[in-house]
Amino acid sequence: MPSPRDEFAHYCCELLTQALGRPCALRRMFGGHGLSAEGLSFAFVIDQTLYLKTDDESEPHWLAEGCQPLLYEAKGKTVRLRFHTVPDEALDSPPAMAPWAQSAWACAVRAQARAARKPARPRARKG
């Protein structure tokens, strides 16, 4: 029998699949679950909380809606990731989740485009 944590992660995966209109994949990572679509990571489920990807462009809207950033402690410091909670009502239905999921998806696409534009770092030569 799946744990309640796994059940919530599977629920979020199905909800995001319907909200985006793209199949989402779920995998365990960082003590929680990572969600991706078409190979792009755009969400985490950690401690029964769904976090969606944000960036400089989208973050002000998320903060204006009261969404909280994903924070964790590492080496005595608080680290803030560019993922935010969603409004509670977004978890109720695919139509309510759609604008939030689409925003997170757009952030993932922009991040991929930025990464593709960066020149590759030269490798150190051995010997």
Side-chain angles (χ1 to χ4, degrees):
M1 174 173 228
S3 71
R5 183 172 37 189
D6 289 343
E7 286 178 12
F8 181 72
H10 285 280
Y11 170 77
C12 289
C13 187
E14 182 59 32
L15 178 64
L16 290 167
T17 292
Q18 292 176 31
L20 280 176
R22 312 182 146 77
C24 294
L26 182 67
R27 69 180 179 141
R28 289 184 178 274
M29 58 190 308
F30 307 125
H33 294 82
L35 292 103
S36 61
E38 298 177 17
L40 296 178
S41 295
F42 71 99
F44 286 119
V45 175
I46 300 173
D47 295 329
Q48 299 277 41
T49 303
L50 174 63
Y51 296 91
L52 295 182
K53 188 167 187 63
T54 59
D55 60 13
D56 288 339
E57 186 177 325
S58 68
E59 186 178 50
H61 177 70
W62 292 76
L63 293 174
E65 293 296 323
C67 302
Q68 300 298 309
L70 173 55
L71 304 171
Y72 70 94
E73 294 291 321
K75 298 181 182 178
K77 294 184 180 183
T78 300
V79 178
R80 181 178 185 207
L81 297 182
R82 286 300 185 97
F83 287 82
H84 286 72
T85 59
V86 297
D88 290 340
E89 61 273 7
L91 292 170
D92 292 340
S93 70
M97 178 59 75
W100 301 100
Q102 290 164 2
S103 175
W105 174 255
C107 290
V109 170
R110 286 191 296 270
Q112 181 185 42
R114 281 190 301 273
R117 288 192 304 261
K118 284 186 180 179
R121 296 178 86 190
R123 290 187 172 169
R125 293 183 183 214
K126 291 184 180 181

